[in-house]
């Protein structure tokens, strides 16, 4: 090993122990010259480190979120870690502009900030670098690094590690991080667009327990009222790396936009439109329950930037918003659409780390910075891996119209035609009955700030289009107007501004006062004095009681929209507990108010129905049945219940169904007709219902079967016969047959009865003895028609 190489290693080792015991012997010979020779010392450290080429992937330098680029002025958390089971005893961390050697002050990029003084400190002989406070075993360290201002190009973050007697340093790999300035469209110094443009900004809150479950405040989560403006480059509402104004502070801590609106209006011509949207209670609501809050604003060539903010509540001082979003394009046009996902940022006025941390005002106000996932283990956004925070909101800014002569005459798309925002009002209302609208909103402020003629606008919402084939007319209405206080007949009238929103109550509990102001926009033309009041004061009650058991609550939020679209409904408003009672008791203040609200009288909306369908087939294939037909409701169910029938049923008749013959049950089998030898026995049945309409014919009504008894004795039979004949002479009988009798009455009037008739048969013997034979009988069905 050369002497120079050994000298380089010794210098680097001295660097790592210079902050503790090493400070007492390494450079004690020139204590007064340390600051003067710092640059030279840093360059020697860098050269010593660069001579060491070997590296180790067990160690890693990481910037939170693993960004590929940095925002000028933004603050990042930088960590150096060792993977288990490795560790390190010392380290050096430095940030250089790419391509520099560290010989001059301007070679260093950004500034480090110490987080834990027991772990880290600035290197005594190289102030831009950070090193360990005490050499000991450790697996990680972390510091803040604030990125340099715009124009610094790319930056190299380098770390060196001391583990036992081995020094690791890498120009490339896991101990080096290269980051370049994020390419952003800076606000144009001079917007070249022509005319004006009108935009609609819509705020979609995605902060919910499902997406951000850790410590989610179920009871009082909300977004405060949104406040913002379209403005020039000479006015900054808020920005990363800047300090919060009093207006921003009141939004961030109290959710009150009053002071912020006052600050905006005081900027005069630097502001074109004040942007205001209602608060959201609760923070997340499905879009089918309530529409996302939105507002409209205008921009022109000098006031082409748009900014806004809203508080994430409850929170110490956390907000989301846009800062100086430029809507003027390089092509001298107006941006069609801007979509941004938003993460929360810290206003730097309160040191709380959780949603409901007690008030902890910062002693020295910090700069506005984005929250990170490594801010504090108790933070609801904490992630030990340092991943990016899931966005809590999304904002969509969409151009809805342009006015005046435009520079870029080519439309952005087929539907984007240059149009005059102020369309002439139609004299007649051509609204079709199939278009259901809300009531007209109040008239907006006049577009003219002077006594010259301007225009004002009102809006209504299309609630339902009952027939899509019939177009619905405009939802905006315009009429001529002049600024407030102007009159053609009275030249001595003052022109006053609108009242600024009420200030916060002067006390935190009990009875106080609040005020609001306005100013004179134009004095009377005749030179007279303006006597109209410019300030109003009224009493206010924030907390009814001022005791140790009372709690500090915010002012009431705005009333929700009425629960009914017509007739009687309910509305509610909420406030949140800012500070619980000092004695630890439960806060008894009401945080919810509900009252009745009356909307315009409900009118029955006619049902819009389709034509009747064709009749269905009969429900049977023969005889009597039913058939149906239907029609459908075309108007939405939300408009109310439709009482018109949607289905009709009627009877239908087809040819009679065939009726089959119906028979009675068989009788029992009769006795055999012989006392010996072969004979037969019979059984019978009758027809109970004759067949009709082609039904099946009747089957047999009598059945016979053979019967066989004991054999007859022929000899004995002849002897007995002779003997009988001797005793009585036998003559063949003479049969006398009577005619058939009439049919009897039917046993039933309907449903199938029975009739019968008889024939009497008699035998006459020569012996003059009469012996009755069995009579003959016939049976038939009758009255078979249905009852």
């Amino acid at each position: 090993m050369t002497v120079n190489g050994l000298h380089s290693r010794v210098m680097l080792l001295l660097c790592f122990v210079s902050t503790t015991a090493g400070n007492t012997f390494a450079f004690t010979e020139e204590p007064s010259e340390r600051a003067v020779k710092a640059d030279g010392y840093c360059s020697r450290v860098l050269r010593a480190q660069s001579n060491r080429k070997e590296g180790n992937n067990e160690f890693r330098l990481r910037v939170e979120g693993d960004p590929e680029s940095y925002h000028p002025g933004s603050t990042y958390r930088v960590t150096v870690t060792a993977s288990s089971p490795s560790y390190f005893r010392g380290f050096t961390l430095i940030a250089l502009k790419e391509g520099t050697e560290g010989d001059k002050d301007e070679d260093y990029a950004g500034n480090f900030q110490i987080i834990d003084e027991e772990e880290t400190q600035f290197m005594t002989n190289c102030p831009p670098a950070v090193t360990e406070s005490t050499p000991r075993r450790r697996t990680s360290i972390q510091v803040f690094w604030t990125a340099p201002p715009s124009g610094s190009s790319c930056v190299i973050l380098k770390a060196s590690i001391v583990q036992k007697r081995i020094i690791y340093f890498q120009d490339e790999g896991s101990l080096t991080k290269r980051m370049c300035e994020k390419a952003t469209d800076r606000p144009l110094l001079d917007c070249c667009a022509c005319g004006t443009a009108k935009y609609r900004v819509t705020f979609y809150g995605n902060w919910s327990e499902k997406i951000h479950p850790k410590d989610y405040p179920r009871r009082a989560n909300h977004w405060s009222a949104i406040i913002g403006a379209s403005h020039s480059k000479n006015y900054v509402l808020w920005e990363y790396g800047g300090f919060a104004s009093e207006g921003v502070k009141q939004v961030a801590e109290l959710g009150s936009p009053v002071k912020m609106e006052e600050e905006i209006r005081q900027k005069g011509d630097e502001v074109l439109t004040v942007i205001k949207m209602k608060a959201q209670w609760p923070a997340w609501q499905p879009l089918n329950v309530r529409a996302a809050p939105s507002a409209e604003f205008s921009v022109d060539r000098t006031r082409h930037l748009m900014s806004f903010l809203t508080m994430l509540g409850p929170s110490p001082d956390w907000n989301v918003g846009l800062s100086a979003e430029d809507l003027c394009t390089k092509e001298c046009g107006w941006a069609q659409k801007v979509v941004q996902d938003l993460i929360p940022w810290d206003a730097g006025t309160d040191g709380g780390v959780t949603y409901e941390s007690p008030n902890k005002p910062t002693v020295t106000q910090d700069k506005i910075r984005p929250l990170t996932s490594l801010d504090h283990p108790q933070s609801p956004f904490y992630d030990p891996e340092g991943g990016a925070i899931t966005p809590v909101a999304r904002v969509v800014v969409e151009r809805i119209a342009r006015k005046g002569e435009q520079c870029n005459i080519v439309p952005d798309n087929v539907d984007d035609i240059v149009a005059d925002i102020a369309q002439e009002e139609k004299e007649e209302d051509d609204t079709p009955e199939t278009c259901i609208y809300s009531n007209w909103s109040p008239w907006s402020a006049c577009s003219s700030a002077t006594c010259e003629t301007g225009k004002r606008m009102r809006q209504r919402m299309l609630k339902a289009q009952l027939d899509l084939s019939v177009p619905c007319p405009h939802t905006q209405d315009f009429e001529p107007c002049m600024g407030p206080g102007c009159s053609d007949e009275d030249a001595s009238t003052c022109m006053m501004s609108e009242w600024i929103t009420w200030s916060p109550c002067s006390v935190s509990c009990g009875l106080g006062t609040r005020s609001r102001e306005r100013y004179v926009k134009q004095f009377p033309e005749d030179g007279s004095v303006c006597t109209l009041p410019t300030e109003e004061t009224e009493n206010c009650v924030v907390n009814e009681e001022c005791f140790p058991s009372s709690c500090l609550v915010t002012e009431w939020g705005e009333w929700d929209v009425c629960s009914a679209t017509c007739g009687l409904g309910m509305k509610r408003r909420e406030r949140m507990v800012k500070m619980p009672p000092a004695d630890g008791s439960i806060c008894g203040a009401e945080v919810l108010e509900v009252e009745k609200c009356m909307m315009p009288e409900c009118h029955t909306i006619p049902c819009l129905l389709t034509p009747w369908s064709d009749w269905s087939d009969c429900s049977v294939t023969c005889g009597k049945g039913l058939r149906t037909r239907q029609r459908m409701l075309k108007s939405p169910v939300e408009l109310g219940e439709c009482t018109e029938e949607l289905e009709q049923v009627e009877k239908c008749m087809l040819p009679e169904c065939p009726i089959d013959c119906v028979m009675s049950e068989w009788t029992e089998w009769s006795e055999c007709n012989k006392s010996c030898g072969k004979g037969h026995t019979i059984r019978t049945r009758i027809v109970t219902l004759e067949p009709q309409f082609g039904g099946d014919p009747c089957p047999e009504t009598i059945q016979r079967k053979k019967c066989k008894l004991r054999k007859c004795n022929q000899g004995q039979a002849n002897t007995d016969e002779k003997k009988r004949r001797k005793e009585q002479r036998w003559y063949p009988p003479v049969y006398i047959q009577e005619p058939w009798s009439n049919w009897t009455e039917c046993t039933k009037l309907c449903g199938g009865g029975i009739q019968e008739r008889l024939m009497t048969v008699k035998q006459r013997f020569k012996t003059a003895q009469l012996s009755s034979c069995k009579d003959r009988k016939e049976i038939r069905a009758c009255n078979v028609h249905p009852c």
Side-chain angles (χ1 to χ4, degrees):
M1 179 181 295
T2 64
V3 175
N4 289 337
L6 179 61
H7 176 71
S8 299
R9 288 175 178 257
V10 170
M11 290 298 294
L12 184 58
L13 286 173
L14 288 174
C15 162
F16 288 118
V17 297
S18 62
T19 57
T20 52
N23 283 334
T24 62
F25 66 83
F27 294 96
T28 53
E29 71 276 15
E30 327 179 88
S32 62
E33 299 181 11
R34 285 178 184 174
V36 177
K37 294 187 177 183
D39 288 345
Y41 184 85
C42 287
S43 63
R44 292 202 303 273
V45 169
L46 290 170
R47 286 195 297 272
Q49 291 177 333
S50 63
N51 289 335
R52 184 69 180 180
K53 295 183 179 180
E54 60 182 290
N56 194 317
N57 290 326
E58 295 174 333
F59 306 104
R60 182 184 180 193
L61 181 151
R62 183 184 182 188
V63 178
E64 180 184 8
D66 296 325
E68 298 295 329
S69 56
Y70 65 86
H71 287 276
S74 296
T75 300
Y76 300 87
R77 188 183 299 265
V78 179
T79 59
V80 178
T81 59
S83 58
S84 180
S86 299
Y87 64 90
F88 58 93
R89 294 180 178 275
F91 75 96
T92 302
L93 184 60
I94 202 161
L96 290 174
K97 293 180 181 178
E98 189 175 38
T100 63
E101 299 294 332
D103 297 327
K104 302 181 290 295
D105 287 341
E106 54 267 26
D107 291 352
Y108 301 97
N111 299 290
F112 288 106
Q113 300 172 43
I114 301 301
I115 296 178
D116 187 348
E117 294 182 352
E118 294 183 359
E119 288 287 333
T120 57
Q121 65 177 4
F122 290 108
M123 187 174 287
T124 305
N125 296 91
C126 182
V130 177
T131 188
E132 77 283 353
S133 297
T134 305
R136 64 175 181 83
R137 285 193 176 195
R138 53 174 53 84
T139 57
S140 67
I141 63 95
Q142 55 181 325
V143 294
F144 285 131
W145 175 71
T146 301
S150 179
S152 300
S153 189
C154 296
V155 174
I156 305 295
L157 293 170
K158 295 183 176 183
S160 59
I161 293 293
V162 175
Q163 185 192 44
K164 297 182 180 179
R165 299 179 180 273
I166 303 174
I167 303 172
Y168 296 101
F169 175 79
Q170 291 179 330
D171 284 328
E172 295 180 357
S174 61
L175 285 175
T176 297
K177 176 72 175 179
R178 179 178 182 269
M179 298 171 63
C180 295
E181 181 178 350
K182 182 176 180 62
T184 56
D185 293 332
R186 305 301 300 169
L188 301 177
L189 295 179
D190 294 304
C191 174
C192 58
C194 302
T196 62
K198 189 172 185 179
Y199 286 87
R200 178 181 293 111
V201 54
T202 306
F203 181 84
Y204 299 94
N206 297 326
W207 179 45
S208 65
E209 186 173 12
K210 181 178 180 180
I211 301 176
H212 301 89
K214 184 180 178 184
D215 301 331
Y216 188 77
R218 296 182 178 179
R219 184 165 176 260
N221 61 86
H222 69 283
W223 294 104
S224 72
I226 296 174
I227 184 70
S230 57
H231 56 92
S232 72
K233 60 184 176 62
N234 298 323
Y235 175 44
V236 178
L237 273 75
W238 69 273
E239 64 178 347
Y240 288 132
F243 290 99
S245 66
E246 183 61 29
V248 172
K249 178 181 178 181
Q250 288 195 15
V251 173
E253 295 187 4
L254 303 176
S256 172
V258 178
K259 184 65 177 178
M260 187 77 252
E261 182 177 355
E262 183 180 344
E263 291 179 1
I264 292 172
R265 294 187 182 275
Q266 288 175 352
K267 292 300 176 179
D269 291 340
E270 301 295 339
V271 172
L272 181 59
T273 308
V274 178
I275 300 171
K276 299 168 67 175
M277 288 179 264
K278 291 185 177 181
Q280 285 194 93
W281 294 77
W284 184 85
Q285 298 179 19
L287 294 183
N288 60 351
V289 174
R290 178 181 298 176
S294 64
E296 296 179 1
F297 65 95
S298 298
V299 291
D300 60 18
R301 177 175 288 191
T302 59
R303 293 159 292 189
H304 50 92
L305 306 179
M306 177 267 194
S307 303
F308 80 90
L309 70 155
T310 175
M311 179 194 73
L312 184 83
S315 69
D317 58 346
W318 300 343
N319 311 264
V320 298
L322 289 181
S323 176
E325 186 67 33
D326 197 350
L327 299 174
C328 182
T329 67
K330 295 178 181 179
E331 294 77 21
C332 299
W334 298 109
Q336 175 67 32
K337 189 174 185 179
V338 176
V339 180
Q340 291 274 13
D341 288 322
L342 306 177
I343 63 170
W345 48 269
D346 191 311
T349 61
D350 192 294
V353 296
T354 66
Y355 289 128
E356 300 181 271
S357 292
N359 284 345
K360 186 181 179 182
T362 53
V363 178
T364 302
Q365 185 172 341
D366 295 328
K367 293 181 179 180
I368 296 174
R369 66 173 183 87
L371 295 180
T372 72
S373 59
L374 289 174
D375 283 339
H376 195 281
Q378 294 182 0
S379 167
F381 305 107
Y382 181 73
D383 177 7
E385 298 297 324
I389 293 178
T390 303
V392 296
R394 169 174 287 187
V395 63
V396 177
V397 182
E398 191 167 13
R399 194 181 76 223
I400 56 177
R402 291 182 289 190
K403 182 180 180 182
E405 183 178 354
Q406 301 292 312
C407 301
N408 57 338
I409 60 174
V410 179
D412 295 330
N413 53 59
V414 175
D415 298 325
D416 180 30
I417 307 299
V418 177
D420 187 348
I421 297 176
Q423 301 175 358
E424 293 297 330
E425 180 181 7
K426 295 184 179 180
E427 295 182 359
E428 297 182 0
D429 185 6
D430 57 353
T431 303
E433 294 182 356
T434 56
C435 298
I436 308 299
Y437 288 94
S438 66
N439 294 328
W440 285 106
S441 69
W443 287 103
S444 68
C446 190
S447 62
S448 172
T450 66
C451 288
E452 296 180 358
T453 301
K455 292 195 176 185
R456 63 177 183 170
M457 179 187 71
R458 63 178 181 173
Q459 294 177 303
R460 59 182 177 178
M461 182 179 67
L462 179 62
K463 299 174 67 176
Q465 188 172 358
L466 304 183
D467 190 347
L468 297 179
S469 63
V470 179
C472 293
H474 59 279
T475 58
Q476 294 181 337
D477 194 14
F478 299 86
E479 73 173 15
C481 63
M482 290 187 294
C486 292
S487 172
D488 294 336
E489 294 79 17
D490 188 0
S492 63
T493 304
C494 297
M495 187 176 72
M496 307 296 292
S497 69
E498 298 292 332
W499 286 105
I500 296 175
T501 312
W502 288 104
S503 67
C505 200
S506 60
V507 296
S508 60
C509 65
L511 179 64
T513 59
R514 64 176 186 173
S515 62
R516 63 177 183 176
E517 298 177 347
R518 62 178 178 177
Y519 56 91
V520 179
K521 297 184 68 176
Q522 184 172 312
F523 287 92
E525 295 180 1
D526 60 2
S528 59
V529 178
C530 185
T531 59
L532 295 175
T534 58
E535 183 176 1
E536 284 185 347
T537 303
E538 70 175 16
N539 293 333
C540 56
V541 177
V542 178
N543 292 275
E544 289 76 4
E545 300 177 352
C546 296
F547 301 106
S549 60
S550 62
C551 48
L552 179 63
V553 296
T554 64
E555 293 190 42
W556 287 106
E558 295 190 33
W559 288 102
D560 288 348
V561 295
C562 191
S563 60
T565 56
C566 64
L568 182 64
M570 304 296 292
K571 64 179 181 179
R572 52 180 274 170
R573 65 175 182 175
E574 298 182 7
R575 61 182 176 180
M576 58 176 287
V577 177
K578 187 65 178 176
M579 183 180 294
D583 60 3
S585 60
I586 298 175
C587 180
E590 295 291 336
V591 294
L592 175 66
E593 275 190 351
V594 179
E595 69 176 27
K596 297 178 181 179
C597 51
M598 178 62 71
M599 301 299 287
E601 182 181 355
C602 296
H603 298 283
T604 302
I605 300 174
C607 302
L608 192 63
L609 302 168
T610 62
W612 284 107
S613 65
D614 294 331
W615 285 104
S616 66
D617 294 333
C618 197
S619 60
V620 297
T621 57
C622 60
K624 295 179 180 179
L626 299 173
R627 65 176 184 172
T628 62
R629 66 175 182 175
Q630 295 88 20
R631 58 181 176 178
M632 296 179 62
L633 180 66
K634 292 175 65 176
S635 52
V637 178
E638 293 80 3
L639 298 180
E641 183 179 359
C642 180
T643 57
E644 297 290 337
E645 62 177 347
L646 301 179
E647 185 177 34
Q648 287 183 343
V649 181
E650 72 173 13
K651 296 178 180 179
C652 51
M653 184 69 181
L654 294 179
E656 292 288 350
C657 298
I659 300 177
D660 297 334
C661 177
V662 179
M663 307 293 292
S664 68
E665 296 293 327
W666 288 103
T667 63
E668 296 293 334
W669 287 102
S670 66
E671 294 181 359
C672 193
N673 66 340
K674 296 290 183 68
S675 59
C676 63
K678 295 180 179 180
H680 67 268
T681 182
I682 63 171
R683 65 175 182 177
T684 61
R685 60 181 176 179
I686 64 174
V687 176
T688 61
L689 181 62
E690 294 287 346
Q692 300 180 51
F693 314 115
D696 294 339
C698 294
E700 59 185 350
T701 59
I702 186 169
Q703 286 184 344
R704 292 177 173 83
K705 69 177 181 177
K706 295 178 180 180
C707 54
K708 186 176 181 180
L709 301 177
R710 59 183 177 80
K711 291 182 179 181
C712 296
N713 189 337
Q714 297 295 331
Q716 180 64 36
N718 292 336
T719 302
D720 293 341
E721 183 67 18
K722 289 178 180 179
K723 185 178 181 180
R724 187 176 62 80
R725 287 181 179 180
K726 287 179 180 180
E727 293 176 353
Q728 178 180 350
R729 291 184 178 271
W730 179 85
Y731 300 94
V734 178
Y735 294 93
I736 302 174
Q737 180 173 315
E738 297 291 337
W740 285 104
S741 68
N742 294 328
W743 290 102
T744 63
E745 292 291 334
C746 192
T747 60
K748 292 184 180 180
L749 297 177
C750 62
I754 297 175
Q755 287 179 305
E756 62 181 22
R757 64 179 180 176
L758 299 174
M759 176 186 287
T760 304
V761 179
K762 295 182 178 180
Q763 295 179 5
R764 186 173 62 187
F765 296 89
K766 289 183 177 181
T767 57
Q769 293 181 348
L770 296 178
S771 176
S772 176
C773 297
K774 288 185 178 179
D775 297 332
R776 295 178 63 187
K777 181 171 66 174
E778 283 187 347
I779 298 175
R780 72 177 183 183
C782 58
N783 294 338
V784 295
H785 59 275
C787 294

